[in-house]
PDB file of all heavy atoms in Angstrom:
ATOM      1  N   ILE A  38       1.342  -3.283  -0.351  1.00 98.00           N
ATOM      2  CA  ILE A  38       1.157  -1.949   0.209  1.00 98.00           C
ATOM      3  C   ILE A  38       2.478  -1.213   0.034  1.00 98.00           C
ATOM      4  O   ILE A  38       3.532  -1.710   0.451  1.00 98.00           O
ATOM      5  CB  ILE A  38       0.804  -2.022   1.711  1.00 98.00           C
ATOM      6  CG1 ILE A  38      -0.372  -2.968   1.943  1.00 98.00           C
ATOM      7  CG2 ILE A  38       0.507  -0.630   2.247  1.00 98.00           C
ATOM      8  CD1 ILE A  38      -0.544  -3.380   3.398  1.00 98.00           C
ATOM      9  N   VAL A  39       2.437  -0.032  -0.566  1.00 97.00           N
ATOM     10  CA  VAL A  39       3.659   0.738  -0.781  1.00 97.00           C
ATOM     11  C   VAL A  39       3.503   2.145  -0.234  1.00 97.00           C
ATOM     12  O   VAL A  39       2.423   2.738  -0.306  1.00 97.00           O
ATOM     13  CB  VAL A  39       4.063   0.788  -2.275  1.00 97.00           C
ATOM     14  CG1 VAL A  39       3.044   1.550  -3.103  1.00 97.00           C
ATOM     15  CG2 VAL A  39       5.451   1.399  -2.443  1.00 97.00           C
ATOM     16  N   SER A  40       4.589   2.645   0.323  1.00 94.00           N
ATOM     17  CA  SER A  40       4.665   4.038   0.732  1.00 94.00           C
ATOM     18  C   SER A  40       6.017   4.556   0.276  1.00 94.00           C
ATOM     19  O   SER A  40       6.997   3.805   0.246  1.00 94.00           O
ATOM     20  CB  SER A  40       4.517   4.165   2.250  1.00 94.00           C
ATOM     21  OG  SER A  40       4.248   5.508   2.596  1.00 94.00           O
ATOM     22  N   VAL A  41       6.071   5.828  -0.079  1.00 93.00           N
ATOM     23  CA  VAL A  41       7.287   6.399  -0.652  1.00 93.00           C
ATOM     24  C   VAL A  41       7.832   7.493   0.251  1.00 93.00           C
ATOM     25  O   VAL A  41       7.104   8.425   0.617  1.00 93.00           O
ATOM     26  CB  VAL A  41       7.026   6.951  -2.073  1.00 93.00           C
ATOM     27  CG1 VAL A  41       8.289   7.563  -2.663  1.00 93.00           C
ATOM     28  CG2 VAL A  41       6.483   5.852  -2.980  1.00 93.00           C
ATOM     29  N   LEU A  42       9.110   7.366   0.611  1.00 89.00           N
ATOM     30  CA  LEU A  42       9.797   8.386   1.390  1.00 89.00           C
ATOM     31  C   LEU A  42      10.183   9.510   0.433  1.00 89.00           C
ATOM     32  O   LEU A  42      10.971   9.307  -0.488  1.00 89.00           O
ATOM     33  CB  LEU A  42      11.051   7.811   2.056  1.00 89.00           C
ATOM     34  CG  LEU A  42      11.892   8.777   2.880  1.00 89.00           C
ATOM     35  CD1 LEU A  42      11.082   9.339   4.045  1.00 89.00           C
ATOM     36  CD2 LEU A  42      13.147   8.097   3.386  1.00 89.00           C
ATOM     37  N   GLU A  43       9.581  10.670   0.651  1.00 81.00           N
ATOM     38  CA  GLU A  43       9.803  11.812  -0.238  1.00 81.00           C
ATOM     39  C   GLU A  43      10.937  12.681   0.286  1.00 81.00           C
ATOM     40  O   GLU A  43      10.777  13.395   1.258  1.00 81.00           O
ATOM     41  CB  GLU A  43       8.541  12.663  -0.336  1.00 81.00           C
ATOM     42  CG  GLU A  43       7.371  11.946  -0.938  1.00 81.00           C
ATOM     43  CD  GLU A  43       6.153  12.821  -1.008  1.00 81.00           C
ATOM     44  OE1 GLU A  43       6.175  13.803  -1.784  1.00 81.00           O
ATOM     45  OE2 GLU A  43       5.195  12.532  -0.275  1.00 81.00           O
ATOM     46  N   SER A  44      12.062  12.639  -0.390  1.00 64.00           N
ATOM     47  CA  SER A  44      13.192  13.465   0.031  1.00 64.00           C
ATOM     48  C   SER A  44      12.988  14.928  -0.333  1.00 64.00           C
ATOM     49  O   SER A  44      13.625  15.810   0.236  1.00 64.00           O
ATOM     50  CB  SER A  44      14.495  12.937  -0.576  1.00 64.00           C
ATOM     51  OG  SER A  44      14.384  12.861  -1.981  1.00 64.00           O
ATOM     52  N   ASP A  45      12.054  15.216  -1.257  1.00 54.00           N
ATOM     53  CA  ASP A  45      11.782  16.606  -1.636  1.00 54.00           C
ATOM     54  C   ASP A  45      11.201  17.414  -0.490  1.00 54.00           C
ATOM     55  O   ASP A  45      11.307  18.636  -0.462  1.00 54.00           O
ATOM     56  CB  ASP A  45      10.811  16.666  -2.819  1.00 54.00           C
ATOM     57  CG  ASP A  45      11.451  16.206  -4.112  1.00 54.00           C
ATOM     58  OD1 ASP A  45      12.677  16.031  -4.131  1.00 54.00           O
ATOM     59  OD2 ASP A  45      10.717  16.016  -5.091  1.00 54.00           O
ATOM     60  N   ASP A  46      10.542  16.724   0.460  1.00 50.00           N
ATOM     61  CA  ASP A  46       9.944  17.419   1.597  1.00 50.00           C
ATOM     62  C   ASP A  46      10.964  17.796   2.659  1.00 50.00           C
ATOM     63  O   ASP A  46      10.642  18.500   3.606  1.00 50.00           O
ATOM     64  CB  ASP A  46       8.856  16.548   2.247  1.00 50.00           C
ATOM     65  CG  ASP A  46       7.635  16.423   1.355  1.00 50.00           C
ATOM     66  OD1 ASP A  46       7.508  17.219   0.401  1.00 50.00           O
ATOM     67  OD2 ASP A  46       6.811  15.536   1.634  1.00 50.00           O
ATOM     68  N   MET A  47      12.199  17.320   2.511  1.00 43.00           N
ATOM     69  CA  MET A  47      13.238  17.602   3.501  1.00 43.00           C
ATOM     70  C   MET A  47      14.041  18.819   3.083  1.00 43.00           C
ATOM     71  O   MET A  47      14.264  19.060   1.901  1.00 43.00           O
ATOM     72  CB  MET A  47      14.196  16.408   3.603  1.00 43.00           C
ATOM     73  CG  MET A  47      13.580  15.149   4.091  1.00 43.00           C
ATOM     74  SD  MET A  47      14.827  13.840   4.098  1.00 43.00           S
ATOM     75  CE  MET A  47      13.782  12.427   3.819  1.00 43.00           C
ATOM     76  N   SER A  48      14.513  19.553   4.082  1.00 42.00           N
ATOM     77  CA  SER A  48      15.428  20.653   3.781  1.00 42.00           C
ATOM     78  C   SER A  48      16.782  20.055   3.409  1.00 42.00           C
ATOM     79  O   SER A  48      17.043  18.869   3.631  1.00 42.00           O
ATOM     80  CB  SER A  48      15.584  21.559   5.006  1.00 42.00           C
ATOM     81  OG  SER A  48      16.355  20.906   5.999  1.00 42.00           O
ATOM     82  N   VAL A  49      17.651  20.857   2.858  1.00 42.00           N
ATOM     83  CA  VAL A  49      18.993  20.401   2.490  1.00 42.00           C
ATOM     84  C   VAL A  49      19.703  19.832   3.720  1.00 42.00           C
ATOM     85  O   VAL A  49      20.339  18.788   3.663  1.00 42.00           O
ATOM     86  CB  VAL A  49      19.816  21.555   1.872  1.00 42.00           C
ATOM     87  CG1 VAL A  49      21.259  21.149   1.676  1.00 42.00           C
ATOM     88  CG2 VAL A  49      19.191  21.992   0.572  1.00 42.00           C
TER      89      VAL A  49
END
Side-chain angles (χ1 to χ4, degrees):
I38 308 165
V39 66
S40 195
V41 179
L42 179 61
E43 297 180 67
S44 55
D45 289 350
D46 290 345
M47 296 178 209
S48 72
V49 172

